Amino acid sequence: MDGYYSLQSMLTYGFPFDLIRSNINFSVSANYSNVPTIFNGEKSKTNELNIIPKVIIGSNISQNLDFTASYSVGINKIYSSLNTASGSGDYITHNASAKLGWTFFWGLTFRSTFNYIGYTGLDTGNEDYFLWNVSLGKKFLKNNAAEIKIEAFDILKQNQAFTHSTGSNYYDYINSNVLKPYAMVSFVYTIR
């Protein structure tokens, strides 16, 4: 069927922030799509507009200490010419994250990632969740080329796999099974 098109754009601006020896980046992306369909013999189209502003702070403190913090909000506006779906297709997605990597005395390492994913405007109840992963390790060999570490995933037991999709005559909310919290021992060797 003719008439499908999609437009995408992104704009980013970054600058150093010497007070905390970091970089700050601001970005905004915009996506627009027009999807024609036929449902019960009737032609229709679905238009979707996504605008996603984002801010990222990334450190330049030292080779041994690194952090990143970011926040984005996805504003999703959806329109169907059939307008037969119940509820609104408009919703907002919130994503906040923080990452810390630290190599301290004797080659010991600590890494932590913390993410918040939240939704506003969906008819499914509360799909918000936090995801926290942590690792402790030890670097060794010449130039710290090897590292052995133990990692714990989903410490807060909240991990979810949630998706939202839209068509000309429906809104679909899908929850999928995910791995429960687990730990893993890994060995990493860096070739230089």
Side-chain angles (χ1 to χ4, degrees):
M1 176 178 266
D2 291 337
Y4 173 82
Y5 59 89
S6 177
L7 306 170
Q8 300 175 354
S9 66
M10 181 174 181
L11 178 65
T12 300
Y13 176 72
F15 57 91
F17 186 56
D18 294 333
L19 182 65
I20 57 174
R21 294 179 20 197
S22 300
N23 292 321
I24 297 179
N25 291 293
F26 295 98
S27 69
V28 63
S29 63
N31 308 304
Y32 179 80
S33 63
N34 180 72
V35 182
T37 58
I38 296 176
F39 180 70
N40 287 338
E42 187 176 346
K43 289 184 179 183
S44 67
K45 66 179 179 175
T46 300
N47 302 106
E48 184 170 0
L49 174 64
N50 312 100
I51 299 173
I52 306 167
K54 184 173 190 176
V55 61
I56 302 170
I57 300 172
S59 73
N60 285 326
I61 293 176
S62 77
Q63 181 178 340
N64 295 324
L65 181 61
D66 186 38
F67 73 86
T68 303
S70 66
Y71 176 75
S72 69
V73 59
I75 302 160
N76 305 281
K77 302 291 282 176
I78 301 165
Y79 170 77
S80 171
S81 62
L82 283 181
N83 210 14
T84 59
S86 61
S88 171
D90 299 346
Y91 65 100
I92 296 174
T93 306
H94 305 271
N95 289 294
S97 70
K99 297 178 185 178
L100 173 69
W102 183 28
T103 302
F104 46 103
F105 32 80
W106 305 301
L108 296 173
T109 62
F110 171 78
R111 290 184 185 86
S112 178
T113 61
F114 187 81
N115 296 290
Y116 165 75
I117 296 94
Y119 300 90
T120 304
L122 297 179
D123 298 334
T124 61
N126 188 6
E127 301 297 342
D128 299 2
Y129 63 97
F130 295 93
L131 186 59
W132 185 25
N133 304 325
V134 172
S135 75
L136 291 171
K138 169 74 172 115
K139 291 187 175 199
F140 58 98
L141 296 182
K142 186 178 179 181
N143 296 322
N144 287 328
E147 181 180 10
I148 190 161
K149 59 185 171 181
I150 184 164
E151 301 172 88
F153 295 89
D154 190 20
I155 293 172
L156 302 175
K157 301 179 182 178
Q158 293 187 11
N159 194 14
Q160 297 181 39
F162 175 77
T163 58
H164 175 258
S165 60
T166 300
S168 61
N169 60 338
Y170 70 91
Y171 303 112
D172 201 4
Y173 307 101
I174 301 169
N175 280 310
S176 303
N177 293 330
V178 294
L179 286 173
K180 296 297 180 192
Y182 66 96
M184 178 172 65
V185 175
S186 63
F187 173 79
V188 177
Y189 184 79
T190 305
I191 299 173
R192 297 173 203 231

